Amino acid sequence: MSRGAIAKASGAALHITVFIEDPDLFGVQGKQVALQALAAQNRQWLQDEIEQLQGSALVVTSEIAITRTVLDEVLQHIEQLHPDLVFKDVHHESALKRVFVTPLDWHLLRECAVAVHLVSEIRSPLPRVVVAAVDPSQAHAAINQQIIQAANALAIQCDAELHLLHGFDTANTHLADFGAGAVTMPGFSSEVRRSLQLNFDHLADALGVPAQRQHFLAGSPTRVIAAFAQHHRADVIVMGNTHRHGLVRLVGSTTEQVLYQVPCNVLAVKGD
């Protein structure tokens, strides 16, 4: 999927930065020569990228940053540029059918103040199938709206199919009895399911998603999302990414777990 194609479709300017880690190796012979060679290779890569985008009416700027603290440098750039969206290149392990996620990816997801799109050069330049993965419980109403808005905007800009998806996990439909374990009440699971289904239907109706693109499926959210992405050849899964209880943490860890399993790109939308 092309960053340039998405930027052009949305009418945005594109700034490309290559971050090169400068290891703290003072006195090591040949270090500067190696860094200069690496910088030259990346300058050539940037030039090739910009040449491919020429004539597309897309405003493109670029730079190379050599730093000893890549994450800090990335976050500083984001703070200075105030982007609407951050693209982070990733690659897929085809044998494992999942994204190969680096420590930098994890930290960026957790600390970046704006949405992060983990994107690889696969399939078509623009997404054809966009999936909004929501949790229709009332506790996630705010982040659901942000997920839906981001997914809908991406689908409209790229002329893609928009699907709404939720994995209903019956294993989590129980009441806690304040210390003695979990209490399962007769009919409680079905009542929770009906409530979630109703909320899900409201979300779908408000978004105008046709019935054939509404997917309220039984199973753990992680497995449901991964299986759906594979079987429906999803290009992008849009999910939530927020802070909880003062700690930087992904929503319910579902986004974190999904990254290990989906064969497509992930757009992590920042919540409040």
Side-chain angles (χ1 to χ4, degrees):
M1 191 174 299
S2 168
R3 301 170 301 275
I6 294 177
K8 181 181 177 182
S10 63
L14 179 65
H15 182 76
I16 306 174
T17 305
V18 177
F19 296 92
I20 300 176
E21 185 173 9
D22 179 8
D24 189 6
L25 298 174
F26 289 108
V28 174
Q29 187 175 7
K31 171 191 168 184
Q32 290 303 320
V33 174
L35 280 176
Q36 290 173 5
L38 187 58
Q41 292 174 7
N42 281 280
R43 275 193 294 271
Q44 183 60 54
W45 178 84
L46 276 173
Q47 182 178 340
D48 294 341
E49 285 285 299
I50 293 174
E51 287 179 357
Q52 291 179 17
L53 295 170
Q54 285 179 345
S56 62
L58 179 64
V59 177
V60 184
T61 54
S62 65
E63 66 176 312
I64 292 177
I66 300 177
T67 177
R68 291 180 184 161
T69 54
V70 174
L71 176 64
D72 291 343
E73 190 73 23
V74 171
L75 294 176
Q76 287 176 16
H77 271 68
I78 292 170
E79 184 177 357
Q80 293 168 1
L81 293 172
H82 300 290
D84 299 297
L85 176 64
V86 172
F87 289 103
K88 171 64 174 65
D89 281 349
V90 296
H91 71 272
H92 283 76
E93 296 282 0
S94 57
L96 300 176
K97 297 182 179 180
R98 67 167 177 85
V99 175
F100 180 79
V101 184
T102 68
L104 177 60
D105 299 331
W106 289 128
H107 286 294
L108 188 59
L109 282 171
R110 290 168 175 153
E111 299 183 38
C112 181
V114 298
V116 177
H117 195 158
L118 298 178
V119 60
S120 64
E121 299 294 335
I122 61 172
R123 300 178 185 171
S124 61
L126 289 176
R128 308 271 36 106
V129 177
V130 176
V131 180
V134 297
D135 181 345
S137 61
Q138 288 298 324
H140 295 122
I143 190 65
N144 281 338
Q145 290 303 316
Q146 292 172 279
I147 292 170
I148 287 171
Q149 289 173 8
N152 191 41
L154 182 62
I156 291 173
Q157 291 161 356
C158 300
D159 192 24
E161 288 185 2
L162 176 61
H163 294 251
L164 194 65
L165 173 66
H166 173 65
F168 173 73
D169 192 354
T170 57
N172 291 332
T173 55
H174 58 262
L175 293 174
D177 66 350
F178 303 100
V183 175
T184 301
M185 299 178 62
F188 181 63
S189 176
S190 59
E191 188 64 31
V192 171
R193 182 187 179 100
R194 281 194 295 270
S195 176
L196 291 176
Q197 178 78 68
L198 183 61
N199 291 341
F200 181 85
D201 292 342
H202 286 324
L203 289 173
D205 291 342
L207 192 57
V209 177
Q212 66 270 25
R213 296 181 189 171
Q214 300 176 24
H215 313 279
F216 188 92
L217 306 176
S220 71
T222 302
R223 292 181 181 178
V224 165
I225 293 170
F228 184 90
Q230 182 174 352
H231 294 156
H232 290 77
R233 293 185 60 81
D235 295 299
V236 182
I237 301 290
V238 184
M239 303 186 67
N241 179 17
T242 190
H243 294 181
R244 301 185 71 189
H245 307 300
L247 299 176
V248 181
R249 184 179 177 187
L250 297 175
V251 173
S253 297
T254 301
T255 304
E256 181 175 343
Q257 296 168 25
V258 163
L259 283 175
Y260 279 114
Q261 299 187 37
V262 295
C264 63
N265 299 328
V266 172
L267 172 54
V269 178
K270 181 65 66 174
D272 297 327

